[in-house]
């Protein structure tokens, strides 16, 4: 379990992020067309998983915008934004914001992603949502960078995540 903060108040997660240099755990998430997307669907591609509680909050929306700007310049790389928001809300946000360079996926169906990756919040007012994290996976499917943002209202370290690629 990890302890993070929500506006200075400690909250806990179900576990810890996966270890560096290990295979990323397989996942099944839901795309905007309600189809299933698995980690294996992105085999051979570098991935930046931008994980957050809800696209309807300022910091979460900012992280999607920032990675959208930076993603367009990356070769063989996809930025996957993951939350428990419904795919319809994710799609509405991207349409309104002109977001085209990230893949939005939802963990609303079973929530296993948050548990498998050790980032589901287990206490406090955001219980059962995802903590703010970035996980970078190389072409071989190994985790090369992780960040669990200590204060959930803060933005992730975009440059460190992209440098890990």
């Amino acid at each position: 379990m990890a302890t993070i903060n929500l506006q200075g108040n400690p909250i806990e997660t179900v576990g810890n992020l996966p270890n560096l240099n290990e295979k990323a755990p397989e996942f099944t998430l839901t795309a905007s067309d309600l189809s299933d997307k698995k980690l294996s669907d992105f085999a051979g591609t570098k991935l930046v998983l931008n994980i957050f509680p809800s696209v309807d909050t300022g910091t979460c929306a900012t992280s999607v915008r920032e990675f959208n700007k930076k993603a367009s310049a990356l070769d063989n790389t996809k930025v996957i934004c993951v939350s428990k928001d419904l795919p319809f809300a994710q799609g509405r946000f991207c349409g309104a914001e002109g977001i085209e360079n990230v893949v939005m996926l939802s963990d609303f169906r079973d929530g296993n992603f948050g548990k498998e990756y050790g980032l589901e919040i287990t206490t406090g007012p955001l219980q059962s949502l995802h903590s703010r994290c970035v996980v970078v996976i190389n072409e071989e499917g190994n985790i090369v960078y992780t960040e669990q943002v200590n204060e959930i209202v803060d933005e992730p370290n975009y440059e460190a995540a992209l440098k890990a690629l």
Side-chain angles (χ1 to χ4, degrees):
M1 146 180 75
T3 300
I4 56 174
N5 294 288
L6 173 61
Q7 297 178 327
N9 298 305
I11 56 177
E12 296 174 344
T13 65
V14 70
N16 294 301
L17 293 176
N19 295 321
L20 292 177
N21 302 314
E22 290 185 0
K23 285 286 183 196
E26 181 64 73
F27 59 71
T28 301
L29 297 167
T30 306
S32 60
D33 64 0
L34 300 180
S35 65
D36 287 344
K37 293 291 182 193
K38 298 177 182 276
L39 175 62
S40 56
D41 293 337
F42 301 97
T45 304
K46 295 181 235 178
L47 301 175
V48 177
L49 305 182
N50 176 34
I51 307 154
F52 48 85
S54 174
V55 76
D56 286 327
T57 66
T59 306
C60 300
T62 297
S63 73
V64 174
R65 287 185 202 106
E66 285 299 310
F67 276 122
N68 181 63
K69 280 189 239 174
K70 297 172 185 316
S72 61
L74 303 174
D75 291 329
N76 193 36
T77 303
K78 292 204 181 296
V79 175
I80 299 175
C81 296
V82 182
S83 69
K84 285 194 174 180
D85 292 300
L86 291 175
F88 315 114
Q90 292 176 334
R92 186 173 49 251
F93 171 80
C94 289
E97 295 280 335
I99 305 287
E100 298 176 346
N101 298 317
V102 300
V103 177
M104 299 292 282
L105 296 177
S106 176
D107 189 25
F108 85 101
R109 285 197 173 134
D110 61 21
N112 283 337
F113 174 85
K115 292 175 181 71
E116 286 292 320
Y117 277 72
L119 52 85
E120 181 177 301
I121 298 170
T122 59
T123 61
L126 298 181
Q127 184 175 345
S128 84
L129 295 178
H130 296 151
S131 60
R132 183 175 319 289
C133 301
V134 177
V135 176
V136 178
I137 303 169
N138 67 15
E139 303 97 313
E140 290 81 38
N142 296 319
I143 296 174
V144 295
Y145 175 85
T146 62
E147 176 190 12
Q148 185 163 48
V149 179
N150 183 51
E151 174 56 63
I152 204 159
V153 299
D154 292 343
E155 293 178 55
N157 186 336
Y158 305 108
E159 298 309 318
L162 297 175
K163 185 177 178 183
L165 292 168

